[in-house]
Short mmCIF file of all heavy atoms in Angstrom, two decimals:
data_model
loop_
_atom_site.label_atom_id
_atom_site.label_comp_id
_atom_site.label_asym_id
_atom_site.label_seq_id
_atom_site.Cartn_x
_atom_site.Cartn_y
_atom_site.Cartn_z
N LEU A 394 13.38 11.66 -39.49
CA LEU A 394 14.28 10.63 -39.23
C LEU A 394 14.62 9.85 -40.52
O LEU A 394 13.69 9.52 -41.32
CB LEU A 394 13.61 9.66 -38.07
CG LEU A 394 13.56 10.12 -36.78
CD1 LEU A 394 12.78 9.29 -35.90
CD2 LEU A 394 14.87 10.49 -36.21
N LYS A 395 15.93 9.70 -40.71
CA LYS A 395 16.29 9.16 -42.05
C LYS A 395 15.90 7.68 -42.26
O LYS A 395 15.56 7.25 -43.34
CB LYS A 395 17.84 9.20 -42.29
CG LYS A 395 18.34 10.60 -42.38
CD LYS A 395 19.84 10.66 -42.51
CE LYS A 395 20.38 12.07 -42.59
NZ LYS A 395 21.99 12.17 -42.86
N GLU A 396 15.69 6.98 -41.12
CA GLU A 396 15.28 5.57 -41.24
C GLU A 396 13.82 5.46 -41.51
O GLU A 396 13.31 4.37 -41.77
CB GLU A 396 15.62 4.86 -39.89
CG GLU A 396 17.15 4.81 -39.60
CD GLU A 396 17.90 3.97 -40.59
OE1 GLU A 396 17.17 2.96 -41.14
OE2 GLU A 396 19.04 4.25 -40.83
N GLY A 397 13.04 6.57 -41.40
CA GLY A 397 11.68 6.53 -41.70
C GLY A 397 10.78 6.03 -40.54
O GLY A 397 11.21 5.87 -39.39
N THR A 398 9.61 5.60 -40.84
CA THR A 398 8.66 4.99 -39.88
C THR A 398 9.36 3.79 -39.29
O THR A 398 9.83 2.93 -39.81
CB THR A 398 7.38 4.61 -40.67
OG1 THR A 398 6.77 5.80 -41.18
CG2 THR A 398 6.33 3.98 -39.67
N GLY A 399 9.16 3.86 -37.82
CA GLY A 399 9.69 2.72 -37.11
C GLY A 399 9.69 3.01 -35.61
O GLY A 399 9.22 3.99 -35.21
N LYS A 400 10.35 2.12 -34.81
CA LYS A 400 10.54 2.33 -33.38
C LYS A 400 11.96 2.79 -33.09
O LYS A 400 12.87 2.43 -33.63
CB LYS A 400 10.26 0.87 -32.72
CG LYS A 400 9.06 0.11 -33.07
CD LYS A 400 7.84 0.90 -32.19
CE LYS A 400 6.58 0.13 -32.56
NZ LYS A 400 6.53 -1.26 -31.86
N TYR A 401 11.85 3.73 -32.20
CA TYR A 401 13.19 4.49 -31.78
C TYR A 401 13.23 4.58 -30.40
O TYR A 401 12.14 4.49 -29.51
CB TYR A 401 13.35 5.85 -32.58
CG TYR A 401 13.30 5.66 -34.07
CD1 TYR A 401 12.15 5.71 -34.82
CD2 TYR A 401 14.50 5.64 -34.72
CE1 TYR A 401 12.15 5.60 -36.18
CE2 TYR A 401 14.63 5.63 -36.02
CZ TYR A 401 13.42 5.71 -36.87
OH TYR A 401 13.48 5.54 -38.15
N THR A 402 14.31 4.92 -29.82
CA THR A 402 14.46 5.30 -28.41
C THR A 402 15.48 6.57 -28.19
O THR A 402 16.49 6.52 -28.81
CB THR A 402 15.27 4.14 -27.63
OG1 THR A 402 14.41 2.90 -27.82
CG2 THR A 402 15.24 4.40 -26.08
N LEU A 403 14.91 7.47 -27.41
CA LEU A 403 15.75 8.60 -27.11
C LEU A 403 16.45 8.29 -25.82
O LEU A 403 15.85 7.87 -24.85
CB LEU A 403 14.95 9.84 -27.05
CG LEU A 403 15.54 11.17 -26.69
CD1 LEU A 403 14.85 12.32 -27.28
CD2 LEU A 403 15.82 11.52 -25.15
N VAL A 404 17.79 8.48 -25.73
CA VAL A 404 18.59 8.16 -24.68
C VAL A 404 19.35 9.43 -24.33
O VAL A 404 19.93 9.97 -25.32
CB VAL A 404 19.62 6.94 -24.89
CG1 VAL A 404 20.26 6.67 -23.60
CG2 VAL A 404 18.69 5.67 -25.35
N GLY A 405 19.46 9.80 -23.02
CA GLY A 405 20.19 10.95 -22.66
C GLY A 405 20.99 10.91 -21.44
O GLY A 405 20.57 10.08 -20.59
N CYS A 406 22.02 11.53 -21.29
CA CYS A 406 22.96 11.52 -20.18
C CYS A 406 22.54 12.85 -19.32
O CYS A 406 22.50 13.87 -19.87
CB CYS A 406 24.43 11.49 -20.57
SG CYS A 406 24.86 10.08 -21.43
N ILE A 407 22.54 12.66 -18.04
CA ILE A 407 22.13 13.65 -17.11
C ILE A 407 23.45 14.24 -16.54
O ILE A 407 24.14 13.51 -15.91
CB ILE A 407 21.11 13.13 -16.02
CG1 ILE A 407 19.94 12.61 -16.62
CG2 ILE A 407 20.86 14.38 -15.07
CD1 ILE A 407 19.00 11.96 -15.64
N TYR A 408 23.63 15.50 -16.58
CA TYR A 408 24.90 16.07 -16.07
C TYR A 408 24.59 17.17 -15.05
O TYR A 408 23.65 17.89 -15.08
CB TYR A 408 25.67 16.75 -17.32
CG TYR A 408 26.42 15.80 -18.12
CD1 TYR A 408 25.80 15.17 -19.14
CD2 TYR A 408 27.77 15.42 -17.91
CE1 TYR A 408 26.47 14.21 -19.95
CE2 TYR A 408 28.43 14.50 -18.68
CZ TYR A 408 27.77 13.85 -19.59
OH TYR A 408 28.40 12.98 -20.48
N GLY A 409 25.50 17.14 -13.97
CA GLY A 409 25.42 18.09 -12.87
C GLY A 409 26.70 18.28 -12.28
O GLY A 409 27.69 17.55 -12.58
N ALA A 410 26.77 19.29 -11.37
CA ALA A 410 28.07 19.52 -10.69
C ALA A 410 28.51 18.50 -9.71
O ALA A 410 29.71 18.31 -9.55
CB ALA A 410 27.97 21.01 -10.00
N GLY A 411 27.60 17.79 -9.11
CA GLY A 411 27.99 16.89 -8.14
C GLY A 411 28.02 17.32 -6.76
O GLY A 411 27.63 16.74 -5.85
N GLU A 412 28.68 18.63 -6.58
CA GLU A 412 28.85 19.22 -5.36
C GLU A 412 29.13 20.70 -5.57
O GLU A 412 29.40 21.02 -6.82
CB GLU A 412 29.99 18.63 -4.45
CG GLU A 412 31.28 18.68 -5.27
CD GLU A 412 32.31 17.79 -4.48
OE1 GLU A 412 32.04 16.79 -3.94
OE2 GLU A 412 33.51 18.34 -4.54
N PRO A 413 28.91 21.64 -4.61
CA PRO A 413 29.12 22.98 -4.87
C PRO A 413 30.60 23.38 -5.35
O PRO A 413 31.51 22.66 -4.96
CB PRO A 413 28.80 23.62 -3.45
CG PRO A 413 27.97 22.64 -2.79
CD PRO A 413 28.46 21.34 -3.27
N ASN A 414 30.60 24.33 -6.15
CA ASN A 414 31.96 24.67 -6.67
C ASN A 414 32.68 25.49 -5.48
O ASN A 414 32.22 26.45 -4.91
CB ASN A 414 31.80 25.69 -7.79
CG ASN A 414 33.07 26.24 -8.45
OD1 ASN A 414 34.17 25.95 -7.86
ND2 ASN A 414 33.06 26.76 -9.70
N PRO A 415 33.83 24.97 -5.14
CA PRO A 415 34.45 25.39 -3.95
C PRO A 415 34.94 26.95 -4.16
O PRO A 415 35.14 27.64 -3.32
CB PRO A 415 35.76 24.55 -3.75
CG PRO A 415 35.93 23.93 -5.20
CD PRO A 415 34.61 23.75 -5.76
N GLU A 416 35.03 27.37 -5.43
CA GLU A 416 35.42 28.70 -5.78
C GLU A 416 34.20 29.58 -5.92
O GLU A 416 34.30 30.82 -6.28
CB GLU A 416 36.24 28.79 -7.00
CG GLU A 416 37.53 27.92 -6.91
CD GLU A 416 38.27 27.99 -8.24
OE1 GLU A 416 37.84 28.62 -9.19
OE2 GLU A 416 39.47 27.42 -8.25
N GLY A 417 32.98 29.06 -5.69
CA GLY A 417 31.76 29.81 -5.87
C GLY A 417 31.31 29.94 -7.32
O GLY A 417 32.14 29.64 -8.23
N GLY A 418 30.07 30.25 -7.58
CA GLY A 418 29.57 30.33 -8.91
C GLY A 418 29.31 28.96 -9.52
O GLY A 418 29.43 27.92 -8.87
N GLU A 419 28.81 28.90 -10.76
CA GLU A 419 28.52 27.68 -11.43
C GLU A 419 29.75 26.92 -11.91
O GLU A 419 30.64 27.55 -12.43
CB GLU A 419 27.55 27.94 -12.47
CG GLU A 419 26.08 28.31 -12.03
CD GLU A 419 25.17 28.23 -13.19
OE1 GLU A 419 25.43 28.06 -14.33
OE2 GLU A 419 23.85 28.28 -13.00
N THR A 420 29.68 25.65 -11.96
CA THR A 420 30.71 24.71 -12.58
C THR A 420 30.68 24.79 -14.06
O THR A 420 29.52 24.81 -14.64
CB THR A 420 30.51 23.38 -12.04
OG1 THR A 420 30.49 23.32 -10.65
CG2 THR A 420 31.67 22.52 -12.52
#
Side-chain angles (χ1 to χ4, degrees):
L394 290 175
K395 292 183 179 180
E396 299 292 331
T398 298
K400 302 286 182 68
Y401 297 86
T402 303
L403 184 147
V404 181
C406 299
I407 302 169
Y408 283 84
E412 57 187 39
N414 187 342
E416 299 178 359
E419 288 194 350
T420 303

